[in-house]
């Protein structure tokens, strides 16, 4: 890098040839210096071969995007100085504050956006992170993605989301240059394997013992499940139906353990069936029919997510049962469908957006070379709506209902 670019603190740089990477074509030189920043612009040239005037009903001719050379000429500095200003905090400090601000003002006035690819190549990064989720169609993971996308944008990172991955797929993603880091959400046992030690990765809604060398952001799903069971018991329900996930993910093991513990503490009778969450509402509806067609059917049901709860609503309606008069239903996740069901669903709110934001912030810190501080489990809460009611009469009536 020429010395004149590295130490540029003057009002102008009369030698644009000092820009070592000046390969972008540009228009004729406009006036340079501070006064050129007001009332000046770079005329957009049409693409070669495009019509100068668009005919009626046709698209106008494309215009050329402003380049780093345009910014350099307008700000009265070398293109190398422009590159330094936009190449990152460390390089940018080699340019004086006044010159740096003049370059940024010129860029704003032209609508210039630095080319990310060149900067990423210099830094040895792709600028992308991978969010791996078990089921891309699961509405809860949409909430997580929203939080990841929001926080990643603050750090100049793009997000790619993928599902259907296994340990081999993750290992491959970790060893290529496509992604700077990984966010691994709600993994089950088959999806976990050895990641290269130098791969920045953060686990979300996962077992903190999965990889103690890497950060894990947990949800207090046990506390949420306890609140749900205690709510139904407080309404007088002594016999509880339970539709649990059949997947081996840590988050579902924790939910199940918490359910069993509080049910034992409260001396509740439990009728339990497993359901595959990845098969969605049809599978939940089928399993719910089996539960609700029992002669001793429970009068209250707790589901491992809100999509399963919606399947219970459907099965109940098909059997002529009313929610909550004949059946109280509680879900988990608090996705959009919960408030849209009739009646609206009582559910445990799992803060998916916060989970995504905290995880993305931790990963951004790892990419900056920072040590990740432990994160306490994110709080969950029971959202009371209209799908639960006190236990009264009907099948199961008596000491347990």
């Amino acid at each position: 890098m020429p010395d004149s670019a590295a130490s540029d603190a003057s009002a102008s740089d009369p030698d644009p040839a000092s820009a070592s990477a000046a390969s972008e074509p540009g228009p004729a030189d406009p006036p340079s210096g501070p006064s050129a920043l007001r009332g000046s612009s770079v005329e957009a040239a049409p693409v070669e071969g495009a019509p100068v005037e668009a005919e009626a009903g046709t698209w106008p001719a494309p215009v050329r995007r402003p380049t780093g050379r345009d910014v350099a000429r307008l700000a009265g500095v070398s293109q190398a100085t422009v590159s330094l200003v936009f190449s990152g905090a460390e390089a940018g400090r080699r340019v004086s504050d006044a010159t740096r601000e003049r370059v940024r003002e010129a860029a704003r006035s032209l609508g210039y956006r630095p080319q990310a690819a060149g900067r990423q190549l210099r830094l040895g990064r792709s600028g992308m992170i991978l969010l791996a989720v078990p089921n891309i169609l699961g509405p809860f993971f949409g909430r997580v993605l929203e939080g990841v996308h929001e926080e990643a944008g603050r750090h100049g990172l793009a997000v790619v989301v993928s599902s259907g991955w296994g340990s081999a797929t993750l290992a491959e993603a970790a060893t290529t240059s496509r992604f700077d880091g990984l966010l691994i959400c709600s993994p089950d046992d088959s999806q976990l394997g050895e990641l290269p030690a130098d791969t920045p990765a953060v686990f979300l809604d996962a077992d903190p013992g999965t990889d103690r060398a890497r950060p894990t952001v947990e949800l207090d799903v046990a506390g949420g499940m306890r609140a749900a069971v205690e709510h139904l018991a407080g309404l007088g329900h002594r016999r509880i139906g339970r539709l649990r996930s059949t997947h081996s993910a840590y988050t579902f093991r924790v939910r199940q353990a918490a359910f069993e513990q509080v049910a034992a503490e409260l001396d509740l009778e439990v009728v339990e069936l497993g359901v595959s969450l990845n098969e969605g509402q049809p599978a939940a509806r089928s399993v719910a029919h089996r539960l609700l067609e029992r002669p001793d059917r429970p009068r209250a049901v707790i589901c491992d997510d809100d999509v399963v709860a919606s399947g219970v609503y459907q099965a109940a309606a098909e059997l002529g049962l009313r929610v909550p008069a004949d059946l109280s239903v509680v879900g988990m996740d608090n996705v959009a469908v919960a408030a849209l069901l009739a009646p609206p669903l009582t559910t445990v709110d799992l803060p998916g957006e916060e989970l995504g934001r905290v995880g993305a912030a931790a990963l951004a810190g790892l990419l900056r070379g920072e040590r990740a501080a432990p994160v306490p489990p994110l709080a969950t809460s029971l959202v009371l709506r209209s799908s639960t009611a006190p236990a009264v009469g009907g099948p199961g009536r008596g000491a347990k209902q």
Side-chain angles (χ1 to χ4, degrees), residues 29-43:
D29 289 0
S32 62
S35 62
L37 296 181
R38 295 174 177 80
S40 297
S41 64
V42 176
E43 183 179 356

Side-chain angles (χ1 to χ4, degrees), residues 185-199:
C185 187
S186 307
D188 67 33
D189 297 341
S190 68
Q191 294 168 320
L192 294 174
E194 289 293 326
L195 292 175
D198 59 350
T199 299

Side-chain angles (χ1 to χ4, degrees), residues 114-127:
Q115 291 289 333
R119 179 173 182 268
Q120 290 157 2
L121 182 62
R122 289 191 299 274
L123 297 175
R125 293 180 181 172
S126 69

